[in-house]
């Protein structure tokens, strides 16, 4: 069966905020456990859809024998989404990065795997992410570990699953109906409930303080 472009676009859009990203990682527990704080997800998980990196070329020596920094290239990453972990207390990016690859329409196994291999080549050099505007204050250092996660559909050919398994690469089969109904709504519902409790608590605290003056 053919992967519809709308399937790809729908999942990319859903994963583009930290609620959707956390709902996704719940399907692969080893990655979920890398989140620094589940109580502060908006400060612990940074999502970058269709990410861009600045890659620095190796240093070169001038005629005088002085090392000169190489030029910097700004490149679009082959992955569909970067999930970066951030220490909510220190406001610094941790050494863990999770890169998401969604099976695209008309993409075969060699194309999908090739995107991960191309990423490995790019990130072998010194690089930094082009961060979303609200996260530009985060200290952005090179990762210690980069982990891939592949997303396939029920329509994805079996040879792609077989190839990913053979390459030792983790993948999950995602259903739009299940994702929307169970994971994402639950995650956002928990967050809304938390915000409501916090608002109620703040209101009570303000009333109490007002009574003491």
């Amino acid at each position: 069966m053919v992967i519809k472009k709308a399937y790809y676009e729908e999942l990319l859009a859903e994963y583009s905020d930290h609620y959707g990203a956390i709902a996704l990682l719940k399907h692969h527990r080893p990655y979920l456990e890398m989140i620094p704080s589940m109580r502060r997800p908006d400060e612990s998980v940074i999502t970058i859809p269709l990410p861009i990196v600045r890659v620095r070329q190796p240093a070169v020596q001038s005629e005088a024998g002085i090392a000169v920094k190489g030029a910097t290239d700004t490149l679009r990453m082959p992955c569909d989404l970067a999930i970066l972990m951030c220490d909510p207390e220190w406001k610094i990016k941790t050494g863990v990065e999770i890169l998401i690859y969604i099976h695209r329409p008309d993409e075969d196994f060699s194309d999908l795997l090739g995107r991960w291999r191309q990423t490995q080549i790019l990130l072998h050099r010194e690089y930094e992410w082009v961060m979303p505007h609200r996260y530009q204050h985060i200290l952005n250092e090179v990762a210690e570990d980069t982990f891939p996660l592949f997303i396939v559909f029920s329509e994805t050919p079996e040879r792609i699953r077989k190839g990913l398994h053979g390459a030792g690469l983790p993948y999950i089969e995602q259903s739009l109906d299940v994702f929307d109904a169970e994971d994402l709504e639950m995650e956002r519902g928990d967050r809304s409930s938390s915000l409501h409790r916090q608002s109620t608590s703040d209101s009570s605290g303000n009333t109490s303080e007002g009574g003491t003056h």
Side-chain angles (χ1 to χ4, degrees):
M1 297 179 68
V2 178
I3 302 296
K4 296 181 179 179
K5 191 173 188 296
Y7 294 173
Y8 168 83
E9 298 290 349
E10 186 70 24
L11 287 189
L12 177 61
E14 293 290 5
Y15 300 152
S16 291
D17 65 20
H18 56 272
Y19 300 115
I22 292 173
L24 169 64
L25 296 184
K26 286 182 177 180
H27 293 275
H28 191 68
R29 192 166 188 83
Y31 289 0
L32 180 69
E33 293 174 351
M34 296 177 184
I35 298 176
S37 174
M38 289 294 291
R39 298 181 64 182
R40 300 167 65 178
D42 54 331
E43 300 178 81
S44 300
V45 176
I46 300 173
T47 55
I48 311 178
L50 305 181
I52 297 172
V53 292
R54 296 188 186 96
V55 179
R56 185 173 297 280
Q57 300 295 336
V60 296
Q61 279 195 337
S62 67
E63 294 181 358
I66 301 174
V68 178
K69 286 186 177 181
T72 299
D73 295 327
T74 301
L75 304 172
R76 160 86 176 273
M77 290 290 289
C79 61
D80 299 298
L81 179 77
I83 302 176
L84 313 181
M85 304 302 174
C86 179
D87 187 310
E89 295 293 338
W90 294 96
K91 308 300 182 185
I92 60 174
K93 188 173 75 66
T94 68
V96 174
E97 298 172 351
I98 300 172
L99 305 183
I100 307 301
Y101 298 82
I102 305 171
H103 182 207
R104 295 174 177 174
D106 301 321
E107 190 173 48
D108 214 327
F109 173 60
S110 61
D111 305 309
L112 184 58
L113 178 61
R115 289 202 280 138
W116 166 236
R117 297 305 186 210
Q118 186 180 356
T119 300
Q120 290 178 293
I121 293 171
L122 288 174
L123 300 189
H124 188 67
R125 293 176 283 176
E126 183 180 346
Y127 70 94
E128 65 176 1
W129 297 95
V130 176
M131 302 288 276
H133 181 72
R134 66 189 180 118
Y135 293 114
Q136 289 182 357
H137 64 285
I138 300 293
L139 185 59
N140 183 1
E141 297 182 343
V142 175
E144 297 172 4
D145 293 296
T146 302
F147 301 93
L149 180 61
F150 295 82
I151 313 301
V152 300
F153 301 90
S154 57
E155 295 86 355
T156 296
E158 182 60 30
R159 63 177 173 273
I160 292 182
R161 295 182 180 81
K162 183 178 180 180
L164 292 172
H165 178 75
L169 296 170
Y171 69 90
I172 63 172
E173 181 176 317
Q174 194 62 281
S175 165
L176 293 179
D177 293 337
V178 172
F179 183 87
D180 289 343
E182 297 179 4
D183 297 317
L184 188 60
E185 294 306 320
M186 183 180 296
E187 190 67 39
R188 287 178 171 157
D190 291 344
R191 177 60 175 169
S192 297
S193 176
S194 175
L195 288 174
H196 176 72
R197 290 195 300 271
Q198 181 179 351
S199 176
T200 303
S201 175
D202 290 345
S203 298
S204 299
N206 290 339
T207 303
S208 177
E209 288 180 2
T212 61
H213 291 289

